[in-house]
Amino acid sequence: MDTPCIEWKGAKNKDGYGNKHYGGVTTSAHRAAWIQKFGPVAKGIEVHHKCNNRGCVNTDHLSLLTHKQNTLAGN
């Protein structure tokens, strides 16, 4: 990665993912960061941490994958 992780400073779930109230619902902080920068995520698509840091919200470290791709990526 060319940029450092940006660690979520708010609440996290038991698995280490940041929680954020966004758009009237609670969602993952990294998903909310993606939506704020790039727009909605299609149904069936997940926001993946390329850096493998579940608490990271740096959009340079995120990408979109299917669930199967995300699982195979190990995150």
Side-chain angles (χ1 to χ4, degrees):
M1 304 280 122
D2 291 336
T3 58
C5 288
I6 299 171
E7 194 69 29
W8 176 249
K9 301 294 186 199
K12 292 184 180 177
N13 68 19
K14 63 180 177 57
D15 295 321
Y17 292 98
N19 290 326
K20 180 170 176 62
H21 191 73
Y22 182 79
V25 298
T26 299
T27 189
S28 60
H30 67 287
R31 185 177 183 91
W34 181 277
I35 293 168
Q36 286 176 333
K37 184 167 184 179
F38 300 111
V41 176
K43 184 176 180 180
I45 299 297
E46 299 179 357
V47 181
H48 166 73
H49 288 99
K50 296 183 285 186
C51 60
N52 291 321
N53 175 358
R54 294 175 175 181
C56 180
V57 292
N58 183 341
T59 55
D60 291 339
H61 294 197
L62 305 175
S63 64
L64 298 180
L65 300 177
T66 65
H67 178 71
K68 182 176 181 179
Q69 291 169 323
N70 200 11
T71 301
L72 291 173
N75 192 15

